[in-house]
Amino acid sequence: MKTCSAFSVLFASVVSAQSGAWGQCGGTGWTGATTCVSGYTCTYSNAYYSQCLPGSAASSSSTATTLVTSTKAATSSTTKVSSTTSSPASATSSSTGKVQFAGVNIAGFDFGCTTDGTCVITGTTGPYPPLGGTYPDGPGQMSHFVKDDNLNIFRLPVGWQFLVNGVLGGTLDATNLASYDTLVQACLATGAYCIIDIHNYARWNGGIIGQGGPTNDQFANLWSQLATKYASQSKILFGVMNEPHDLTVTTWAASVQAAVTAIRNAGATSQLILMPGTQYTSAGAFISTGSAAALLGVTNPDGSTTGLIFDVHKYLDSDNSGSGADCVTNNIADAFQPLATWLNSVGRQAILTETGGPNTSNCATYLCQEIAFLNANSNVYIGYVGWAAGSFSASTYALTETPTDNNGVWTDQSLVSSCIKR
């Protein structure tokens, strides 16, 4: 859906015939090394993925069937508990080989927003709320995904302009907010977690937040109002911004800090906050662009980092834009492995809030491998959210994950049924 550049981080194994620490060592279609360097064991996750995880054996065959989890981040990834009355939640550090969150985006309220942060809010080119009636049935989709597919999180993208009816720095528009809140409440009613996602690319009508466009105070004011409304909802996650790009990342970190402070000071002290980097928050570019280093310094008002989760995206086509005709990579070697290594080193966690591709057999293979890696590294990756269900149509949008409803019988798109469902 979005255009972003792919960045590679090269990893060298100590012995060319063996996979290095945290490297892949088996799985469907894997043709590389099947043993690990000393101190790591080739550990089975599922048919698509085996990984070199810390273990006592010098090396082991990729046919291992017992999941071994990292002991490093299991103790360090949960940061200090805040000293506020109600401390921000930490994501669960799992040892079960399964991420805490799995779900899809429910798109529609973001329609009309382009990558320069311009959002049309009226007419046929603006938002297309997935609220049933003449619109796609977003509440029905979410109910199906929870009941039939065991999904437990939905990302609900929305344009900033829509929420304030085009008035920068203004109060939340009662009518538009009520419409969006209908989707939020439908999400909460399923028992799932719900991500409020401002889908503006760190911009407002071309101007970059804190860098000549909206001020940090205006951005913080938006989040203060939203956090005040949803402060009592423990299953709300705050997605600070969708896909920032082409900006100064250290300055952007100050804007993120303003949003985090506003959310916490508004009383939302128990929810997770998702913090994106630049370059369309690409997982493959998170370290090389300086996003990781810059966002590492963002804290809660009490100085802790509890509940602050890094937000990344990654598509599976050749240029990571999501616009390719097919999938060509599982993103592990050049994106998720390097990022996992860094996350382990600093004791922090990330969530993948956009990934996907066309509903082809290649995409199913690669997406299943990608998700298997996240599950195998669930101490640092807390979840994945596919792009996208909601208002998309299978006949007009290749990346659709919108299920079809035939008199109450729901049928998933192939990527959902093959990889995303649990």
Side-chain angles (χ1 to χ4, degrees), residues 32-397:
T34 58
T35 60
C36 305
V37 295
S38 179
Y40 288 80
T41 301
C42 188
T43 306
Y44 177 88
S45 174
N46 62 27
Y48 291 98
Y49 199 78
S50 294
Q51 182 185 20
C52 292
L53 298 178
S56 57
S59 66
S60 176
S61 161
S62 63
T63 58
T65 57
T66 302
L67 179 67
V68 179
T69 57
S70 165
T71 57
K72 178 175 181 63
T75 57
S76 64
S77 62
T78 300
T79 52
K80 258 186 224 180
V81 175
S82 166
S83 61
T84 55
T85 302
S86 178
S87 61
S90 287
T92 300
S93 183
S94 171
S95 61
T96 63
K98 182 178 289 187
V99 293
Q100 182 178 358
F101 301 116
V104 297
N105 283 263
I106 304 296
F109 277 104
D110 56 310
F111 284 15
C113 292
T114 56
T115 58
D116 70 349
T118 298
C119 296
V120 177
I121 59 176
T122 59
T124 57
T125 59
Y128 192 64
L131 292 176
T134 58
Y135 298 105
D137 184 7
Q141 292 176 40
M142 290 187 286
S143 178
H144 152 68
F145 284 131
V146 170
K147 293 177 180 177
D148 300 332
D149 295 340
N150 201 31
L151 300 185
N152 65 351
I153 194 167
F154 300 103
R155 184 168 176 257
L156 312 176
V158 62
W160 183 355
Q161 287 91 329
F162 178 80
L163 290 175
V164 295
N165 202 27
V167 180
L168 179 61
T171 58
L172 297 173
D173 180 80
T175 300
N176 291 355
L177 177 62
S179 181
Y180 178 67
D181 186 56
T182 300
L183 187 66
V184 175
Q185 296 304 322
C187 176
L188 291 170
T190 67
Y193 288 79
C194 312
I195 304 172
I196 295 176
D197 161 53
I198 304 301
H199 215 77
N200 276 69
Y201 307 89
R203 286 158 166 78
W204 173 289
N205 294 345
I208 302 173
I209 299 169
Q211 302 181 41
T215 66
N216 286 348
D217 285 345
Q218 289 171 324
F219 186 45
N221 178 56
L222 170 70
W223 274 116
S224 180
Q225 293 182 72
L226 287 169
T228 297
K229 178 172 179 61
Y230 295 110
S232 64
Q233 298 290 344
S234 62
K235 290 191 172 182
I236 291 288
L237 291 78
F238 299 108
V240 168
M241 179 56 61
N242 175 72
E243 296 190 346
H245 63 91
D246 299 294
L247 46 72
T248 302
V249 70
T250 52
T251 307
W252 168 243
S255 300
V256 174
Q257 180 66 74
V260 168
T261 300
I263 291 168
R264 296 301 189 216
N265 286 344
T269 57
S270 64
Q271 295 94 338
L272 299 181
I273 300 176
L274 313 184
M275 307 187 302
T278 190
Q279 205 56 39
Y280 298 88
T281 203
S282 168
F286 198 74
I287 298 170
S288 63
T289 59
S291 295
L295 293 174
L296 198 61
V298 176
T299 68
N300 294 307
D302 68 350
S304 75
T305 56
T306 310
L308 304 184
I309 306 296
F310 300 119
D311 188 0
V312 296
H313 292 177
K314 203 74 174 78
Y315 287 90
L316 299 106
D317 51 355
S318 59
D319 63 356
N320 190 38
S321 67
S323 61
D326 206 353
C327 299
V328 299
T329 177
N330 60 22
N331 295 315
I332 294 170
D334 64 346
F336 292 109
Q337 178 61 75
L339 183 55
T341 300
W342 179 80
L343 290 167
N344 271 289
S345 74
V346 297
R348 297 291 294 274
Q349 295 174 311
I351 184 171
L352 175 63
T353 58
E354 281 192 29
T355 191
N359 289 282
T360 67
S361 59
N362 280 342
C363 287
T365 296
Y366 288 125
L367 182 60
C368 286
Q369 290 172 349
E370 178 184 87
I371 289 175
F373 180 86
L374 300 183
N375 282 325
N377 291 272
S378 58
N379 60 322
V380 291
Y381 291 113
I382 68 170
Y384 56 85
V385 189
W387 184 269
S391 294
F392 286 120
S393 166
S395 63
T396 59
Y397 187 58

